[in-house]
Amino acid sequence: MAEETIIKNSGAKLAAKDYATDQDVRWCPGCGDYSILKQVQSVFAELQLDRDETVFISGIGCSSRFPYYMNTYGMHSIHGRAPAFASGLRSINPDLNVWVITGDGDSLSIGGNHFIHMLRRNFNLNVLLFNNQIYGLTKGQYSPTSEKGKVTKSTPIGSLDHPFNPLALSLGADGTFIARSMDRDPKHMRAILLRAEQHHGTSLVEIYQNCNIFNDGAFFTFTEKETKGDTVLFIEQGKPLIFGANSDKGIKLDGFKPVIVDLKDTSANDLWIHDENDRVKASILTRFFDDPSTEGALPRPFGIFYVEKRDNYEDALITQLNKSIEAKGHGDLDALLRGNNTWEIK
Amino acid sequence: MAEETIIKNSGAKLAAKDYATDQDVRWCPGCGDYSILKQVQSVFAELQLDRDETVFISGIGCSSRFPYYMNTYGMHSIHGRAPAFASGLRSINPDLNVWVITGDGDSLSIGGNHFIHMLRRNFNLNVLLFNNQIYGLTKGQYSPTSEKGKVTKSTPIGSLDHPFNPLALSLGADGTFIARSMDRDPKHMRAILLRAEQHHGTSLVEIYQNCNIFNDGAFFTFTEKETKGDTVLFIEQGKPLIFGANSDKGIKLDGFKPVIVDLKDTSANDLWIHDENDRVKASILTRFFDDPSTEGALPRPFGIFYVEKRDNYEDALITQLNKSIEAKGHGDLDALLRGNNTWEIK
Amino acid sequence: MTAVKEIKDVVTILFAGDSGDGIQLTGGQFTDTAALLGNDISTFPNFPAEIRAPIGTVAGVSGFQLNFGSIEIFTPGDQCDVLVVMNAAALKVNLKNLKKGGVIIANSTGFDKRNLRLAKMDEEYTLQGDKRLEGYKVHEVDVTKLTRETLENSGLGTKAVDRSKNMFVLGFLYWMYDRPLDITIKFIEGKFKGKQDLIDTNIMVLKAGFHYGETCEAFPTQIVVKPAADIEKGVYRNVIGNEAAALALISAARKAGLQLFYGTYPITPASDILHTLSRHKNYGVKTYQAEDEIAAICSAMGASYGGALGVTASSGPGIALKGEAIGLAVSLELPLVIVNVQRGGPSTGLPTKTEQSDLLQVMYGRNGEAPVPIIAAQSPTDCFDAAYEACRIAIEHVTPVFFLSDGYIANGSEPWKVLKGDALPKITPKFAAARKEEDAPFLPYSRDEKLSRPWAIPGTKGLAHRIGGIEKENLTGNISYDPDNHELMTKLRQAKVDKIADYIPEQKLDNGKEGDKVLVLSWGSTYGVVKTAVKELREEGQSIAHAHVRYMNPLPKNLGTLLSKFDKVLMPEMNNGQFVKIIRDKFLIPAIPYNKIQGLPFFTHELKEKMTEVLNAK
Amino acid sequence: MTAVKEIKDVVTILFAGDSGDGIQLTGGQFTDTAALLGNDISTFPNFPAEIRAPIGTVAGVSGFQLNFGSIEIFTPGDQCDVLVVMNAAALKVNLKNLKKGGVIIANSTGFDKRNLRLAKMDEEYTLQGDKRLEGYKVHEVDVTKLTRETLENSGLGTKAVDRSKNMFVLGFLYWMYDRPLDITIKFIEGKFKGKQDLIDTNIMVLKAGFHYGETCEAFPTQIVVKPAADIEKGVYRNVIGNEAAALALISAARKAGLQLFYGTYPITPASDILHTLSRHKNYGVKTYQAEDEIAAICSAMGASYGGALGVTASSGPGIALKGEAIGLAVSLELPLVIVNVQRGGPSTGLPTKTEQSDLLQVMYGRNGEAPVPIIAAQSPTDCFDAAYEACRIAIEHVTPVFFLSDGYIANGSEPWKVLKGDALPKITPKFAAARKEEDAPFLPYSRDEKLSRPWAIPGTKGLAHRIGGIEKENLTGNISYDPDNHELMTKLRQAKVDKIADYIPEQKLDNGKEGDKVLVLSWGSTYGVVKTAVKELREEGQSIAHAHVRYMNPLPKNLGTLLSKFDKVLMPEMNNGQFVKIIRDKFLIPAIPYNKIQGLPFFTHELKEKMTEVLNAK
Ligand SMILES: Cc1ncc(C[n+]2csc(CCOP(=O)(O)OP(=O)(O)O)c2C)c(N)n1
Ligand SMILES: Cc1ncc(C[n+]2csc(CCOP(=O)(O)OP(=O)(O)O)c2C)c(N)n1
Ligand code: SF4
Ligand code: SF4
Ligand SMILES: [Mg+2]
Ligand SMILES: [Mg+2]
């Protein structure tokens, strides 16, 4: 696709900034959204994706302002419904490269139903879920990913709901590409975005994103140098699960139970080898979801948890339609209007 | 609770029929819904549940007519929203015994979002999901649980969507009680209903239900004597996974991969022992979801897949409220109206 | 025995029985035969809400009313001449629908103890003993027994045998009304293709019914209804309203050179449009059964955004759910057709019954100032024209449009003169052309003489742009919070809808003339019955006229002037008075509402009574 | 230097600056001080849509307008006397809001090159060089520099120092308007409790600003606005509209002896009600942040069904989503309060701006015939009374009720005479009593003199019954498809809502008298400004009267008669004409719409112009 695109763009190579619009970016200074925008623009430049063949569709939220900043086609729709718009669009034009941009409230609160149905139908979309564990745009209420006990504008003495585990939910909804990245690690994000763009099906990328106004530092244990080493587990296909500031710790499976081992005592060969095609392993990995401050907490995995090849809806739709035309012939309008039973009045 | 109820009912013991209303039951003759109704009434009689302390809430669908036939309080609400009504009701009166009745379309199509949020919040509800893999009330369109390729009124040349695996989805949504039963095995249903009623949290019971008008026989491989033996796996806590017409087959785990073994070759001790408190095992079990007609298909499990103890929302709500009253005193209306900053005009 | 033949202009038959009795099929066959013989016809099926309510109960009664004649017909008839009842419950429910002195044909077995009990009637009841039936012509026919006897040696089980008893009734009625059997025989052959035993037995029973008529002494007279003389010459077919709407959508997309994308969620009585469309994939139709109504409309908007004709459909409760998204469609200004097949409300209401009670919802049921054009169909065949027109306006004016139908015309059928695709009006989408870098910047919210904006579809070179639901700057479409811009855009969106009035026909009188004393102003599915009532009153010499509105928003430009030509305006509606609110507001005339809210269409006699009352009032 | 003191009746100040400049807080403090000194006040905060738009840009400008006086005040004022601007963008946006010849107080550092660039202004711009400012009194104060100098030795970082510059401005204005500092000092002590350094520095800066006023030669005159004489004696507090609504909900539940359950989903500008309620759990308030608006209303209905006061709230788009469920509420006939804090539409529209454009949505935005009573608040304090009244009607008439507010009054504030709980009207829920087996069967759809049905809550002995959204049989509530029953129930539901007219006050004139030439008929948040305009015109001798409607459905019984007493009826609305449609329909009078659709309230002068035009027209 990249090559063809360059030709379409009449040979002129596009830089990241060519994917930016002339609109002022209106996120709060310091918001994690900026870095995600930048990475997406870079990846677009890297792949030389065609601006006129690309559509960004979002719901409502700070994150959902994203399409205004991409010099492509874009639709800022209504709260939670971006997947539904994308499904119709892909169904009638599968040549378009469609990206869905959504927040944790947008996708998992009001939009939860469309989210899970999109995953099971496996439309070919790249979905970036900006998870900041808060409602940013409405000025700081807790979200379905906020930890229990969260103090926010709407929960001044602490929230009561058990939060979703977005990746476990996605796996339960039969998602075919499930990944996690973070705003503060551009390199990692780049790698994940490239893979997401390759996947033919719904590529779900959860991105931990700092809302420095209403939920500052929610992910700092995972994103800041001081703590990251011991709390983050980068998972890579075919590689053993190793982490730690000095890459000195690993994960082994004791039956179904993942345990942290010291690499001084255990050889890397005995560690859990990441296999992104193994759904059971992926489901255990998604459950590495401990509060990092608890004693013996498992590290939080980042990377691609699970990939599966499965027909996507729009391809099946088009195949069925073509088969139907093959079988019955391209519908004749007059025949349709005439129907099967006529009579004549003379 | 049972004992107290009997007293409330002034000592008169209620029979199953005392839980029936005077309204004509209007399902199609032969519909699987009848047997579920009967079992629920029997279980109510068995536990002597108080009619006036019980509320059945349903959405819309054939199955959702259920409340009209239970001589308790009941609300036949709108399509897909029963969990939301139930959440409000439980929040303001946690003494009520609330049952949610829903269909596969009601709960997993239009109601999917409320369904997953109910599970994560873990309201104390008994949820009976009548899965007939079809929209009955609207006369036979495919549903989110219909197998791919299903020929229905709305898909005359076959459906295209990959169906949900309802129990995998429920587990992904952090459900705390996940079970499956079937309309044609009253004994099994009774056992599951009793456990569901005991569980303090959202008890999700998927019931395979035959719609003999629009999807007749969808589950016959699992429900009819001729085939049941080899296709159904009844799972029981602490027991090995054994099945087969002559109980001659078992399930073993090869790594994470469940395999069918012949009990002639393998001892029951080496089989997978069912542990309903193990989420990883439960998640593998929910994935026993093969088309039973495929070669080497795993049997379909029935029983309680997973149980977890977790706070439910309404208890936490009430605790928080009480704590707040303890801390600040029972709110004084005059103080509220006065606020913190006043001045006097003389 | 050769029967005497009596000639009649018009006959109304009501078939009624248990939902399992094949009533709809029997009615449908009689309809087809009548149509093929050149009668004018109109039908009204009336189902129970349950899929299969318990057999034999009042709740389970299904009805099919057919009006056919040698004169022009606009309604399924008020009360029927002949009431066919397959069981006691059917009589209990429908006796009130039979004309005084009419004929009852009753299936004896349907009045046995079991059936009487199920119908909650006295077990000792007999037709002969029923005082209320005095003055009616009651014919008991033991259909069940006769059918069984006919198929005694067929080898079929009793269940299968009993299932064909409707063919006996049909054959009998064919005899009564002097109709040939061949059309139904052809139908049977098609339906049971490959199952020769069923073909044979059904035909046997059909013929047995016919012969029973010939032989039985009870009916010395056959009734003849000649082909309708006034019907335009040509080739005809029968069409059900929902089917007609589906055909219109396919045709409009075809004529506009667009893909048709139909995003919907099943709901009675709209689902049959989905069912029809899904059988026409080879016409390039993409149907999408979404997870709910919101996803349905949003998927259709996604398709429209991509350059297809996006259509979504539902009935009242589902339309309510779409309100927020319709607001977005207004703001985005994209073509979109929203079909509302109305049913009885509020809430779940009366799902299988008809009502016109969503007019105000479709007019106003969204936040903010969000005007949407509305077109209402007036009959089953008009579902084609009105839906086609809705598509035309949506595409050419680049706007969401409501197409309003209701359960009555959606399920009813009429003969329809076969159209050629060439005869359909052209539809021209207004796609924005690709641009080169040196071209002036693209302005997605610039407007043409219709005040509509260009349809700029993704994939077009040089048109990359962003749209959304926040207020947009005029021309550029960028987000704008500017106060004056908001006022301007609000007025532009309204003006664009108002402007459609320049592109639609003026309001005409359907009957009568300016200066008549009373104008009856109707809309939607009441057309046929209002037309009939006015026609009859005019024939009686009354000064009454009739105008029927199909363009509900914007209203035809001349409507106000037209209304001012009459002393009184009477507005019958199957709701508690909705269009009348709009008319009174717009034109400040004391239009008189007349309402029926029974989930049922008006009867001609009800209307005539009301009209007479208004005519006679000072 | 002792300044001369000048006495004024009323002063309007507009504070404007970057969202990060603490504008709302500054305005709020000045308001509190003015209130405590006994001025009458009215405020209007005006936020940008972004959380933190890029600093210094036009998009990031936040404003707070305050009108205070020794006379009665009903609006935040049209244009201001004093415009305080913290940066160039703030001046750019707000110059048009300053009276000709008014005072500008500008922060010099806010006009440096960086800020000019951010405001997209010429980098060479100077206030002195700006021709447009001729005739204004411009005072540059280098607030940033002065603040930094004040805190030179405080040890605080620059960021923290700069954050307190709003205190300098506040101190300066306190001097200008001869106000004491103690109220704000108390506030600072509370806000920074435990952080003594911040308390000290903020107070230092506040005082520095005050002293700067004293010392600086530029302002020889202090302006004195005396306490308002006409204000009723008593204890007052300040209250914001949304806060008042929240207090009303708690109070109504308390007075009715019910739990309050508030099920909602956040949306601007309704969320603050949730925020306020969630701080009052010790009043037995249960707040529930649902997954979406549909779950929110359904959870509230579940709570109502269980015997609590169920309330749900949203703004336009969310209300649209609730339409289907509201239909069920109508059908179930349960108490429910639906709060709609309106904002600019359609679709996402102008989320932080105000509009009255949901009236028709709340009136008609549901399928079927589904009437719902509607009550609209007229001012921030009236949000209390109107919301309380909505609760009363919901509970006593056992019905869903809409409470309409809008962004303007929801965020605006007013002094409010402190109420005692005892003074609030009683609210009596109509719970059905428990029954014994030998009692007559319970009839959930029987009705009392209000035509309302009993509230039969689960857990009550002997009342087990089933309700739902399908049409119900009169009295029993069982499912019924009977045509006549449906008509009866539809009419009963309507009659029940209409009946409320017997339990609400008759419509009164707010000003003027019957027989005046023009009646201005307003509703909702336009109250204050219409009142002011009419008052001024009457003072000028014009024959103009004013009536303000709060009961939008049903309308007061005497409204039609009242309207007929005037030659002309003028209806100003912040929409494209909605209430005017209802009035024209009901009373067939040529009411004249006057509309502003700018996301902003009317100005007095705009209204006076229009009123004068109508007065002068033939
Ligand atoms: C129908 C509807 N309901 C509510 C809102 C208000 N709203 C806007 S964004 C939002 C949530 C934002 O949270 P999230 O999706 O996490 O995005 P973020 O701002 O954190 O990026 C809400 C509740 C709306 N715009 N529309
Ligand atoms: C808002 C809304 N949309 C659609 C419908 C139509 N409808 C009623 S039931 C139903 C689906 C029924 O399927 P399911 O939940 O599986 O129940 P079943 O009838 O199979 O028991 C649908 C689509 C409705 N009543 N309301
Ligand atoms: S509120 Fe939070 S998420 Fe929104 S723009 Fe600001 S920092 Fe980013
Ligand atoms: S349609 Fe199917 S699910 Fe519905 S009542 Fe009939 S058999 Fe049961
Ligand atoms: Mg968020
Ligand atoms: Mg179903």
Side-chain angles (χ1 to χ4, degrees), chain D residues 430-454:
Chain D
K430 212 192 107 185
F431 290 122
R435 294 188 175 225
K436 301 201 199 71
E437 246 167 82
E438 57 274 24
D439 289 346
F442 174 55
L443 294 174
Y445 280 79
S446 57
R447 290 171 197 278
D448 64 8
E449 73 289 351
K450 294 194 181 84
L451 295 180
S452 65
R453 75 179 195 91

mmCIF file of all heavy atoms in Angstrom, chain D residues 430-454:
data_model
loop_
_atom_site.group_PDB
_atom_site.id
_atom_site.type_symbol
_atom_site.label_atom_id
_atom_site.label_comp_id
_atom_site.label_asym_id
_atom_site.label_seq_id
_atom_site.Cartn_x
_atom_site.Cartn_y
_atom_site.Cartn_z
ATOM 1 N N LYS D 430 -48.000 9.202 47.429
ATOM 2 C CA LYS D 430 -49.263 8.480 47.485
ATOM 3 C C LYS D 430 -49.012 6.983 47.406
ATOM 4 O O LYS D 430 -49.327 6.349 46.394
ATOM 5 C CB LYS D 430 -50.092 8.930 46.289
ATOM 6 C CG LYS D 430 -51.548 8.951 46.499
ATOM 7 C CD LYS D 430 -52.233 9.130 45.168
ATOM 8 C CE LYS D 430 -52.883 7.842 44.716
ATOM 9 N NZ LYS D 430 -53.460 7.941 43.385
ATOM 10 N N PHE D 431 -48.365 6.455 48.429
ATOM 11 C CA PHE D 431 -48.073 5.029 48.413
ATOM 12 C C PHE D 431 -49.349 4.215 48.595
ATOM 13 O O PHE D 431 -50.193 4.558 49.420
ATOM 14 C CB PHE D 431 -47.110 4.659 49.547
ATOM 15 C CG PHE D 431 -45.726 5.187 49.340
ATOM 16 C CD1 PHE D 431 -45.126 6.022 50.270
ATOM 17 C CD2 PHE D 431 -45.006 4.851 48.192
ATOM 18 C CE1 PHE D 431 -43.847 6.512 50.077
ATOM 19 C CE2 PHE D 431 -43.719 5.330 47.989
ATOM 20 C CZ PHE D 431 -43.140 6.166 48.932
ATOM 21 N N ALA D 432 -49.463 3.154 47.850
ATOM 22 C CA ALA D 432 -50.568 2.227 48.053
ATOM 23 C C ALA D 432 -50.291 1.444 49.334
ATOM 24 O O ALA D 432 -49.154 1.070 49.606
ATOM 25 C CB ALA D 432 -50.691 1.288 46.874
ATOM 26 N N ALA D 433 -51.330 1.200 50.086
ATOM 27 C CA ALA D 433 -51.160 0.496 51.354
ATOM 28 C C ALA D 433 -51.128 -1.010 51.148
ATOM 29 O O ALA D 433 -51.663 -1.529 50.166
ATOM 30 C CB ALA D 433 -52.319 0.855 52.283
ATOM 31 N N ALA D 434 -50.481 -1.685 52.090
ATOM 32 C CA ALA D 434 -50.421 -3.146 52.031
ATOM 33 C C ALA D 434 -51.843 -3.721 52.076
ATOM 34 O O ALA D 434 -52.772 -3.079 52.568
ATOM 35 C CB ALA D 434 -49.606 -3.671 53.207
ATOM 36 N N ARG D 435 -51.978 -4.919 51.533
ATOM 37 C CA ARG D 435 -53.294 -5.572 51.532
ATOM 38 C C ARG D 435 -53.194 -6.969 52.094
ATOM 39 O O ARG D 435 -52.168 -7.622 51.986
ATOM 40 C CB ARG D 435 -53.828 -5.700 50.103
ATOM 41 C CG ARG D 435 -54.101 -4.370 49.527
ATOM 42 C CD ARG D 435 -54.809 -4.477 48.215
ATOM 43 N NE ARG D 435 -55.107 -3.106 47.835
ATOM 44 C CZ ARG D 435 -56.265 -2.687 47.371
ATOM 45 N NH1 ARG D 435 -57.242 -3.546 47.189
ATOM 46 N NH2 ARG D 435 -56.460 -1.439 47.075
ATOM 47 N N LYS D 436 -54.317 -7.406 52.606
ATOM 48 C CA LYS D 436 -54.392 -8.796 53.049
ATOM 49 C C LYS D 436 -55.050 -9.604 51.957
ATOM 50 O O LYS D 436 -55.686 -9.060 51.055
ATOM 51 C CB LYS D 436 -55.223 -8.887 54.326
ATOM 52 C CG LYS D 436 -54.658 -8.056 55.443
ATOM 53 C CD LYS D 436 -55.153 -8.547 56.801
ATOM 54 C CE LYS D 436 -54.967 -7.454 57.834
ATOM 55 N NZ LYS D 436 -55.928 -6.326 57.631
ATOM 56 N N GLU D 437 -54.897 -10.911 52.079
ATOM 57 C CA GLU D 437 -55.423 -11.758 51.017
ATOM 58 C C GLU D 437 -56.918 -11.566 50.808
ATOM 59 O O GLU D 437 -57.414 -11.664 49.702
ATOM 60 C CB GLU D 437 -55.101 -13.224 51.293
ATOM 61 C CG GLU D 437 -54.136 -13.769 50.241
ATOM 62 C CD GLU D 437 -53.550 -15.099 50.649
ATOM 63 O OE1 GLU D 437 -54.248 -16.104 50.447
ATOM 64 O OE2 GLU D 437 -52.414 -15.116 51.171
ATOM 65 N N GLU D 438 -57.640 -11.267 51.897
ATOM 66 C CA GLU D 438 -59.091 -11.170 51.760
ATOM 67 C C GLU D 438 -59.549 -9.822 51.182
ATOM 68 O O GLU D 438 -60.702 -9.655 50.828
ATOM 69 C CB GLU D 438 -59.782 -11.436 53.120
ATOM 70 C CG GLU D 438 -59.350 -10.531 54.268
ATOM 71 C CD GLU D 438 -58.099 -11.033 55.006
ATOM 72 O OE1 GLU D 438 -57.310 -11.793 54.392
ATOM 73 O OE2 GLU D 438 -57.898 -10.669 56.184
ATOM 74 N N ASP D 439 -58.619 -8.894 51.066
ATOM 75 C CA ASP D 439 -58.980 -7.601 50.469
ATOM 76 C C ASP D 439 -59.301 -7.765 48.984
ATOM 77 O O ASP D 439 -58.899 -8.737 48.354
ATOM 78 C CB ASP D 439 -57.828 -6.594 50.607
ATOM 79 C CG ASP D 439 -57.647 -6.146 52.062
ATOM 80 O OD1 ASP D 439 -58.556 -6.407 52.864
ATOM 81 O OD2 ASP D 439 -56.585 -5.587 52.377
ATOM 82 N N ALA D 440 -59.971 -6.772 48.448
ATOM 83 C CA ALA D 440 -60.243 -6.777 47.007
ATOM 84 C C ALA D 440 -58.924 -6.724 46.260
ATOM 85 O O ALA D 440 -57.939 -6.201 46.778
ATOM 86 C CB ALA D 440 -61.101 -5.573 46.646
ATOM 87 N N PRO D 441 -58.891 -7.264 45.066
ATOM 88 C CA PRO D 441 -57.617 -7.285 44.338
ATOM 89 C C PRO D 441 -57.097 -5.866 44.084
ATOM 90 O O PRO D 441 -57.883 -4.931 43.909
ATOM 91 C CB PRO D 441 -57.944 -7.985 43.015
ATOM 92 C CG PRO D 441 -59.417 -8.144 42.953
ATOM 93 C CD PRO D 441 -59.979 -7.890 44.309
ATOM 94 N N PHE D 442 -55.788 -5.768 44.115
ATOM 95 C CA PHE D 442 -55.154 -4.475 43.935
ATOM 96 C C PHE D 442 -55.260 -4.045 42.476
ATOM 97 O O PHE D 442 -55.016 -4.827 41.564
ATOM 98 C CB PHE D 442 -53.686 -4.587 44.349
ATOM 99 C CG PHE D 442 -52.895 -3.346 44.061
ATOM 100 C CD1 PHE D 442 -53.295 -2.108 44.553
ATOM 101 C CD2 PHE D 442 -51.734 -3.411 43.288
ATOM 102 C CE1 PHE D 442 -52.563 -0.966 44.288
ATOM 103 C CE2 PHE D 442 -50.997 -2.260 43.027
ATOM 104 C CZ PHE D 442 -51.417 -1.039 43.519
ATOM 105 N N LEU D 443 -55.614 -2.785 42.249
ATOM 106 C CA LEU D 443 -55.742 -2.257 40.888
ATOM 107 C C LEU D 443 -54.694 -1.181 40.656
ATOM 108 O O LEU D 443 -54.888 -0.013 40.993
ATOM 109 C CB LEU D 443 -57.148 -1.678 40.684
ATOM 110 C CG LEU D 443 -58.266 -2.704 40.730
ATOM 111 C CD1 LEU D 443 -59.635 -2.022 40.667
ATOM 112 C CD2 LEU D 443 -58.125 -3.729 39.603
ATOM 113 N N PRO D 444 -53.561 -1.591 40.087
ATOM 114 C CA PRO D 444 -52.455 -0.628 39.961
ATOM 115 C C PRO D 444 -52.778 0.548 39.042
ATOM 116 O O PRO D 444 -52.124 1.574 39.125
ATOM 117 C CB PRO D 444 -51.310 -1.472 39.400
ATOM 118 C CG PRO D 444 -51.904 -2.734 38.913
ATOM 119 C CD PRO D 444 -53.181 -2.938 39.647
ATOM 120 N N TYR D 445 -53.766 0.402 38.172
ATOM 121 C CA TYR D 445 -54.116 1.518 37.293
ATOM 122 C C TYR D 445 -55.487 2.115 37.603
ATOM 123 O O TYR D 445 -56.164 2.618 36.717
ATOM 124 C CB TYR D 445 -53.939 1.141 35.814
ATOM 125 C CG TYR D 445 -52.479 1.237 35.436
ATOM 126 C CD1 TYR D 445 -51.583 0.225 35.776
ATOM 127 C CD2 TYR D 445 -51.976 2.371 34.811
ATOM 128 C CE1 TYR D 445 -50.229 0.335 35.472
ATOM 129 C CE2 TYR D 445 -50.626 2.490 34.510
ATOM 130 C CZ TYR D 445 -49.754 1.468 34.843
ATOM 131 O OH TYR D 445 -48.420 1.589 34.548
ATOM 132 N N SER D 446 -55.846 2.048 38.873
ATOM 133 C CA SER D 446 -56.993 2.847 39.300
ATOM 134 C C SER D 446 -56.481 4.269 39.542
ATOM 135 O O SER D 446 -55.276 4.481 39.645
ATOM 136 C CB SER D 446 -57.562 2.268 40.597
ATOM 137 O OG SER D 446 -56.554 2.230 41.581
ATOM 138 N N ARG D 447 -57.364 5.241 39.605
ATOM 139 C CA ARG D 447 -56.932 6.640 39.661
ATOM 140 C C ARG D 447 -57.665 7.425 40.745
ATOM 141 O O ARG D 447 -58.805 7.121 41.061
ATOM 142 C CB ARG D 447 -57.177 7.317 38.308
ATOM 143 C CG ARG D 447 -56.250 6.809 37.253
ATOM 144 C CD ARG D 447 -56.550 7.246 35.857
ATOM 145 N NE ARG D 447 -55.842 6.383 34.936
ATOM 146 C CZ ARG D 447 -54.560 6.523 34.606
ATOM 147 N NH1 ARG D 447 -53.867 7.539 35.069
ATOM 148 N NH2 ARG D 447 -53.965 5.661 33.816
ATOM 149 N N ASP D 448 -56.989 8.444 41.266
ATOM 150 C CA ASP D 448 -57.623 9.302 42.253
ATOM 151 C C ASP D 448 -58.137 10.575 41.582
ATOM 152 O O ASP D 448 -58.199 10.659 40.359
ATOM 153 C CB ASP D 448 -56.646 9.626 43.390
ATOM 154 C CG ASP D 448 -55.460 10.435 42.882
ATOM 155 O OD1 ASP D 448 -55.472 10.872 41.710
ATOM 156 O OD2 ASP D 448 -54.509 10.624 43.670
ATOM 157 N N GLU D 449 -58.467 11.565 42.400
ATOM 158 C CA GLU D 449 -59.056 12.793 41.840
ATOM 159 C C GLU D 449 -58.060 13.551 40.974
ATOM 160 O O GLU D 449 -58.441 14.349 40.128
ATOM 161 C CB GLU D 449 -59.617 13.683 42.962
ATOM 162 C CG GLU D 449 -58.570 14.402 43.820
ATOM 163 C CD GLU D 449 -57.781 13.474 44.745
ATOM 164 O OE1 GLU D 449 -58.146 12.282 44.866
ATOM 165 O OE2 GLU D 449 -56.774 13.926 45.353
ATOM 166 N N LYS D 450 -56.788 13.301 41.174
ATOM 167 C CA LYS D 450 -55.780 13.914 40.301
ATOM 168 C C LYS D 450 -55.606 13.094 39.032
ATOM 169 O O LYS D 450 -54.763 13.407 38.201
ATOM 170 C CB LYS D 450 -54.421 13.963 41.004
ATOM 171 C CG LYS D 450 -54.342 14.859 42.208
ATOM 172 C CD LYS D 450 -52.862 15.076 42.570
ATOM 173 C CE LYS D 450 -52.689 15.951 43.782
ATOM 174 N NZ LYS D 450 -52.803 15.189 45.045
ATOM 175 N N LEU D 451 -56.327 12.016 38.917
ATOM 176 C CA LEU D 451 -56.196 11.037 37.832
ATOM 177 C C LEU D 451 -54.877 10.277 37.909
ATOM 178 O O LEU D 451 -54.438 9.683 36.929
ATOM 179 C CB LEU D 451 -56.340 11.695 36.456
ATOM 180 C CG LEU D 451 -57.722 12.295 36.165
ATOM 181 C CD1 LEU D 451 -57.748 12.916 34.770
ATOM 182 C CD2 LEU D 451 -58.797 11.215 36.275
ATOM 183 N N SER D 452 -54.235 10.337 39.075
ATOM 184 C CA SER D 452 -52.980 9.606 39.172
ATOM 185 C C SER D 452 -53.186 8.262 39.850
ATOM 186 O O SER D 452 -54.109 8.070 40.633
ATOM 187 C CB SER D 452 -51.930 10.440 39.888
ATOM 188 O OG SER D 452 -52.333 10.655 41.210
ATOM 189 N N ARG D 453 -52.310 7.334 39.502
ATOM 190 C CA ARG D 453 -52.462 5.980 40.003
ATOM 191 C C ARG D 453 -51.668 5.814 41.292
ATOM 192 O O ARG D 453 -50.812 6.642 41.607
ATOM 193 C CB ARG D 453 -52.014 4.983 38.937
ATOM 194 C CG ARG D 453 -50.513 4.869 38.739
ATOM 195 C CD ARG D 453 -50.213 3.829 37.665
ATOM 196 N NE ARG D 453 -48.809 3.420 37.683
ATOM 197 C CZ ARG D 453 -48.334 2.390 38.378
ATOM 198 N NH1 ARG D 453 -49.123 1.655 39.128
ATOM 199 N NH2 ARG D 453 -47.046 2.076 38.331
ATOM 200 N N PRO D 454 -51.941 4.749 42.062
ATOM 201 C CA PRO D 454 -51.205 4.562 43.317
ATOM 202 C C PRO D 454 -49.757 4.155 43.050
ATOM 203 O O PRO D 454 -49.462 3.493 42.065
ATOM 204 C CB PRO D 454 -51.963 3.425 44.007
ATOM 205 C CG PRO D 454 -52.737 2.732 42.925
ATOM 206 C CD PRO D 454 -53.004 3.743 41.867
#
